[in-house]
């Protein structure tokens, strides 16, 4: 039997935050995986050795929405303990709506608090509609810069690894949506460009290596 595929749900640079999520997952019998890895270097890391690791929590795609609700329920229990000078209190209605709409860009506590503040201000929100619109927005392919397309083709025809890597990246890159759906990051046109770059680069590289092996080129 194939092992179920777990996808990245959250990334933390604080072990306490990852532990809090793991606690919620274990209480609700949610299958998960916690991985620890070195973080990419940043200036702040030079002065804080505690933040030199990243904790990645992975869960099943079909559990994404359920876990989001569980986190929101957990945060709701502490919502009344927030300090009066918390920055969301200074947000306008439109800014709070943006927090709720783009829930995947904010931590769960802020989304719960934004929802509460909007309710207190008498602002009605249709969360299902906002979530649907957000998913539709995120489903749109990433925009590729023409510069990288040109660089990819040029280096591919030269048999360079860069062209092969760009081609592979464009044709295979995927992204995970907040609902756990996994889709290609780039559109059909860019994927076809990537496939061409990859195969051109491989063919030119193999031919070049072969010619050099037989001493036909220097």
């Amino acid at each position: 039997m194939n092992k179920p595929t777990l996808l990245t749900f959250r990334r933390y640079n604080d072990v306490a935050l990852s532990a809090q999520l793991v606690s919620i997952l274990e209480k609700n019998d949610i299958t998960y995986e916690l991985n620890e890895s070195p973080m990419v270097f940043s200036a702040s890391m030079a002065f804080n050795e505690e933040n030199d690791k990243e904790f990645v929590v992975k869960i099943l795609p079909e559990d994404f929405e359920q876990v989001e609700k569980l986190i929101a329920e957990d945060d709701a229990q502490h919502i009344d303990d927030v300090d009066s000078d918390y920055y969301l209190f200074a947000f306008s209605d439109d800014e709070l709506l943006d927090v709720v709409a783009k829930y995947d860009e904010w931590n769960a506590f802020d989304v719960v608090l934004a929802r509460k503040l909007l309710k207190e201000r008498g602002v009605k929100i249709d969360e299902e509609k906002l979530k649907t619109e957000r998913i539709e927005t995120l489903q749109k392919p990433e925009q590729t810069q023409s510069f990288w397309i040109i660089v990819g083709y040029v280096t591919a025809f030269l048999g360079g690894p860069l062209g092969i890597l760009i081609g592979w990246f464009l044709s295979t890159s995927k992204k995970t949506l907040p609902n756990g759906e996994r889709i290609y990051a780039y559109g059909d046109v860019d994927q076809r460009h990537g496939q061409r770059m990859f195969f051109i680069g491989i063919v030119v590289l193999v031919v070049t290596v072969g010619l050099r092996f037989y001493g036909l080129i220097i």
Side-chain angles (χ1 to χ4, degrees), residues 144 149 153 170 186-196:
T144 307
I149 297 292
Y153 273 116
L170 289 175
Y186 297 95
D188 293 340
V189 174
D190 288 333
Q191 287 180 50
R192 286 195 292 271
H193 278 307
Q195 292 167 359
R196 293 189 192 108

Side-chain angles (χ1 to χ4, degrees), residues 33-62:
E33 182 179 298
L34 176 62
N35 297 323
E36 180 182 323
S37 61
M39 288 187 65
V40 177
F41 181 80
S42 66
S44 61
M45 288 170 53
F47 305 98
N48 190 351
E49 295 182 358
E50 295 182 357
N51 289 337
D52 63 352
K53 295 180 181 178
E54 183 177 54
F55 302 91
V56 181
V57 181
K58 296 183 177 182
I59 61 175
L60 293 169
E62 55 266 32

Side-chain angles (χ1 to χ4, degrees), residues 140-152:
K140 295 178 181 178
E142 303 288 340
Q143 296 298 315
T144 307
Q145 295 182 357
S146 299
F147 170 77
W148 288 111
I149 297 292
I150 295 171
V151 170

Side-chain angles (χ1 to χ4, degrees), residues 40 48 52 81 97 116 119 123-124 155 186 203 208:
V40 177
N48 190 351
D52 63 352
D81 299 330
L97 281 170
K116 179 176 182 290
K119 183 178 180 180
V123 179
K124 295 182 179 181
T155 53
Y186 297 95
V203 170
T208 301

Side-chain angles (χ1 to χ4, degrees), residues 88-137:
L88 282 187
F89 286 105
F91 276 33
S92 66
D93 291 350
D94 287 340
E95 289 172 328
L96 291 174
L97 281 170
D98 193 61
V99 173
V100 176
K102 298 180 180 178
Y103 61 97
D104 54 294
E105 296 181 357
W106 297 80
N107 64 65
F109 181 84
D110 283 348
V111 176
V112 172
L113 180 56
R115 188 186 298 122
K116 179 176 182 290
L117 293 175
L118 286 169
K119 183 178 180 180
E120 291 176 349
R121 297 179 186 183
V123 179
K124 295 182 179 181
I125 55 176
D126 186 340
E127 285 200 59
E128 288 303 316
K129 180 181 178 182
L130 290 176
K131 285 186 177 181
T132 299
E133 292 176 346
R134 182 59 176 165
I135 294 297
E136 290 175 350
T137 298

Side-chain angles (χ1 to χ4, degrees), residues 19-36:
Q20 183 179 357
L21 174 55
V22 166
S23 175
I24 293 174
L25 297 175
E26 291 182 344
K27 285 179 182 178
N28 293 276
D29 295 322
I30 304 292
T31 300
Y32 75 92
E33 182 179 298
L34 176 62
N35 297 323
E36 180 182 323

